[in-house]
Amino acid sequence: MTLPLPSRHPSDALAALILLALAVAGPAAASPPPAAPLHVDLVDYPTPQANWSAFRDLRHRLEAGFDDVCPDTFCEGEYTDYQPLKLRCSVERATGRVNVCGWAFAASELRVDPATGALQRQQPTWLCHFPTGGGTTVAALLAALDGPQPLFQRLPGTGKTVFEALGDCLR
């Protein structure tokens, strides 16, 4: 390392001292890497997209079951057009335990106002939670809902079904 030559101007000497201090200090310390998230989507447990195929299959089977029972159950009420939207489960990354699962739904009802011809609408939404036992793992949840009728299979740790949980939520 070369040291700056003495200067006749005090400001030059100060600048030289600052440059010397920066050279001795070395590069700035790198900031620590961001902490890993504590919770992930079930699809991304234990690694990104690891359960994508299994979860997509489960979602399709749940939607098919909902479509089969909707006309005689949930869809007989105030609204005629119920649609299942997103299904997501939160998983504790360190343990693989399922925190909560939620399934979003929307419905709609349109009517014609006889006096004005305007369309009157109602469009509610719901986020229905599946009950899971405190120690339910991803593997246990997927295994419990495996099969052709996951809507009616018992959820681990609760004995309740997704169908019952939807009944509590959508009515």
Side-chain angles (χ1 to χ4, degrees):
M1 166 184 357
T2 26
L3 295 175
L5 296 173
S7 171
R8 294 185 186 160
H9 300 309
S11 62
D12 289 343
L14 180 59
L17 284 175
I18 291 172
L19 287 174
L20 179 61
L22 289 173
V24 171
S31 59
L38 298 177
H39 301 92
V40 295
D41 192 306
L42 185 144
V43 169
D44 296 322
Y45 178 82
T47 58
Q49 304 278 321
N51 281 302
W52 171 248
S53 184
F55 196 69
R56 183 183 60 193
D57 177 60
L58 172 61
R59 190 186 76 230
H60 288 307
R61 289 182 291 114
L62 284 168
E63 287 173 354
F66 181 82
D67 288 345
D68 287 345
V69 301
C70 187
D72 297 326
T73 56
F74 313 113
C75 303
E76 283 188 331
E78 190 175 348
Y79 309 103
T80 56
D81 186 25
Y82 283 80
Q83 293 296 315
L85 302 174
K86 282 222 185 250
L87 171 65
R88 288 289 182 252
C89 293
S90 165
V91 175
E92 189 176 289
R93 179 182 212 115
T95 64
R97 286 191 304 229
V98 177
N99 289 330
V100 65
C101 289
W103 197 0
F105 287 85
S108 65
E109 191 59 47
L110 295 174
R111 291 183 180 87
V112 174
D113 183 320
T116 66
L119 292 178
Q120 299 171 332
R121 66 178 170 86
Q122 291 179 301
Q123 297 170 309
T125 59
W126 297 266
L127 179 57
C128 300
H129 294 276
F130 299 1
T132 55
T136 301
T137 63
V138 169
L141 179 66
L142 293 175
L145 297 177
D146 193 25
Q149 300 260 340
L151 207 58
F152 299 103
Q153 291 167 230
R154 301 276 170 212
L155 291 160
T158 68
K160 204 168 185 183
T161 67
V162 173
F163 178 80
E164 292 168 327
L166 292 180
D168 293 343
C169 177
L170 296 174
R171 292 193 181 155

